[in-house]
Amino acid sequence: MSEKLKIGIIGCGGIANQKHMPSLAKLSHLGEMTAFCDVVEERAVKAAEQFGSEKSKVYTDYKELLQDDSIEVVHVLTPNLQHSFITIDALEAGKHVMCEKPMAINSKEAQEMIDAANRTGKKLTIGYQNRFRDDSEVLYKASREGEFGDIYFAKAHAIRRRAVPTWGVFLDVEQQGGGPLIDIGTHALDLTLWCMDNYKPQSVTGSVFYKLADKHEGNLFGPWDPETFEVEDSAFGFIKMQNGATIILECAWALNTTDVREAMTTLCGTEGGAEMKALPKSPTSELVFNSTKFGKLVETKPATGGGIAYFDAGAEDPGVKEARQWLECIIHDTEPLVKPEQALIVTQILEAIYTSAKTGKTIEF
């Protein structure tokens, strides 16, 4: 392995520019981006100019990038449909892979990714950067230390009032595999399962709605064309775990509610609970612990910075923390925080919600 990891970027669109490339640029002592690939050459050229060097290579065919033996790490940042086969090809080419969420559009492809990682001995992780938020880390630690006792009920929150992404292929069901459930619901569910340390689902019942495709007034990202709105606008899941614990997953890009929360969780246990709450007109969240002490109901608020997606006001950017942990686990041959086997369970549950809603049946595991 070279002194600095050589990194190839496959997909130079929104998430690459918003999270991955800026984060990696801040960790130049650990790795350098030496290759950029996108089906739109101009995007790859722009990325190379901004985040690479004069020696950086530009590709429009990811398979050509994978032929470069100097590249040790690949970030797969493409539409969801392409995650699995690009990841597998990269692993087979001897690269460690960071694949952006969701892991894949179905559990079969997700398992094939894990099989490829095991077969090649290369590391694989999935981009669930919300685990690296300050409030998430505090909540996880409290849960591990038994602060809440037996956690038997939880809610995974991913609700927007009107924030339908109108760019790229977000509304294309073939390219994305779904709408808010697979896009932002995946973050909320990952965060909840991780904090509960419970990855054994027993059954899933889901509802998926296509109600507001023609209701684009007030959308944060501007109006969309109802004719091209192919995915759901909201989805909900009732998840029962093998130990009896129950999780309610709620997610929407568009829902007539003022209770807006994204990439947040609520945990309820025998000794106490915790809730991530949205702060009005703020990108941050408030973490509240609740319990009983001295014969009274008590609420405490740990001093944390918390937000949605990859932004965390007042704390180090979770995207940078995610990238650092990823690169260091390669350098030191340790495990990534986000294990692909955990991401597989998330994928299986999301798939079960879609299937349950389509068939009208509860899906048993």
Side-chain angles (χ1 to χ4, degrees):
M1 185 176 293
S2 60
E3 183 177 347
K4 286 186 180 182
L5 292 170
K6 300 296 189 296
I7 304 167
I9 304 294
I10 300 178
C12 299
I15 198 63
N17 283 279
Q18 294 165 9
K19 182 180 78 163
H20 290 269
M21 294 190 297
S23 297
L24 290 169
K26 294 178 180 178
L27 301 169
S28 57
H29 60 293
L30 298 176
E32 56 183 339
M33 292 170 275
T34 61
F36 301 83
C37 178
D38 197 283
V39 292
V40 179
E41 187 174 14
E42 290 78 8
R43 285 201 295 249
V45 169
K46 183 179 178 181
E49 291 174 348
Q50 185 173 356
F51 296 103
S53 67
E54 294 181 355
K55 297 181 180 179
S56 295
K57 298 178 182 178
V58 170
Y59 301 90
T60 56
D61 184 344
Y62 80 90
K63 291 185 177 180
E64 293 182 6
L65 181 151
L66 295 181
Q67 291 174 6
D68 186 342
D69 292 335
S70 71
I71 296 174
E72 300 152 297
V73 185
V74 163
H75 282 223
V76 178
L77 314 175
T78 63
N80 301 343
L81 179 66
Q82 303 166 17
H83 284 184
S84 63
F85 65 81
I86 294 179
T87 293
I88 292 170
D89 286 347
L91 292 166
E92 296 285 3
K95 322 298 185 187
H96 302 288
V97 179
M98 156 71 79
C99 179
E100 183 51 41
K101 64 80 195 168
M103 186 174 187
I105 61 172
N106 59 56
S107 56
K108 177 179 180 295
E109 293 185 3
Q111 183 62 60
E112 290 172 349
M113 294 163 69
I114 293 175
D115 293 342
N118 292 336
R119 183 168 60 250
T120 61
K122 294 299 175 181
K123 297 185 187 299
L124 170 63
T125 193
I126 310 301
Y128 285 120
Q129 73 279 348
N130 286 289
R131 293 193 189 188
F132 294 85
R133 291 184 349 223
D134 190 31
D135 58 341
S136 300
E137 292 177 333
V138 170
L139 183 57
Y140 176 81
K141 184 177 181 180
S143 177
R144 293 284 85 64
E145 294 182 1
E147 179 74 15
F148 313 119
D150 174 24
I151 300 173
Y152 58 90
F153 178 71
K155 290 184 179 181
H157 309 280
I159 296 292
R160 299 176 182 175
R161 185 177 179 182
R162 285 295 189 284
V164 176
T166 54
W167 63 91
V169 296
F170 277 102
L171 305 183
D172 186 328
V173 68
E174 181 179 359
Q175 289 293 316
Q176 289 296 93
L181 180 58
I182 202 170
D183 178 44
I184 57 177
T186 190
H187 275 302
L189 181 58
D190 172 73
L191 190 61
T192 301
L193 296 176
W194 181 59
C195 287
M196 294 177 72
D197 191 26
N198 190 341
Y199 290 92
K200 296 181 178 181
Q202 177 176 305
S203 65
V204 171
T205 306
S207 295
V208 175
F209 295 103
Y210 303 80
K211 297 288 189 179
L212 303 181
D214 60 342
K215 308 290 186 182
H216 55 63
E217 296 86 357
N219 189 54
L220 178 64
F221 305 115
W224 59 82
D225 181 359
E227 296 299 321
T228 63
F229 201 125
E230 301 175 349
V231 298
E232 79 277 1
D233 45 68
S234 61
F236 307 89
F238 183 87
I239 306 154
K240 189 171 182 179
M241 310 303 284
Q242 290 182 16
N243 69 347
T246 298
I247 301 170
I248 294 177
L249 170 61
E250 54 179 26
C251 60
W253 282 340
L255 190 70
N256 288 321
T257 180
T258 57
D259 185 13
V260 175
R261 284 189 272 182
E262 184 174 339
M264 298 184 192
T265 189
T266 294
L267 305 178
C268 302
T270 54
E271 300 301 321
E275 187 171 5
M276 291 173 169
K277 295 184 176 183
L279 293 174
K281 298 181 180 180
S282 171
T284 63
S285 65
E286 178 181 63
L287 180 59
V288 181
F289 288 0
N290 66 81
S291 61
T292 56
K293 291 184 179 180
F294 316 116
K296 298 291 183 180
L297 299 177
V298 177
E299 295 182 4
T300 58
K301 300 177 181 180
T304 65
I308 64 170
Y310 50 85
F311 179 76
D312 222 336
E316 185 181 21
D317 190 313
V320 176
K321 293 167 71 174
E322 174 190 55
R324 180 189 298 113
Q325 199 275 336
W326 165 236
L327 296 182
E328 288 182 344
C329 88
I330 296 171
I331 293 170
H332 301 300
D333 193 22
T334 55
E335 286 191 335
L337 179 67
V338 181
K339 299 173 179 58
E341 293 80 7
Q342 297 170 335
L344 170 64
I345 301 301
V346 174
T347 303
Q348 289 174 335
I349 292 174
L350 298 181
E351 185 178 39
I353 292 173
Y354 281 124
T355 303
S356 173
K358 185 177 181 179
T359 63
K361 299 179 181 179
T362 295
I363 305 303
E364 302 288 341
F365 281 76

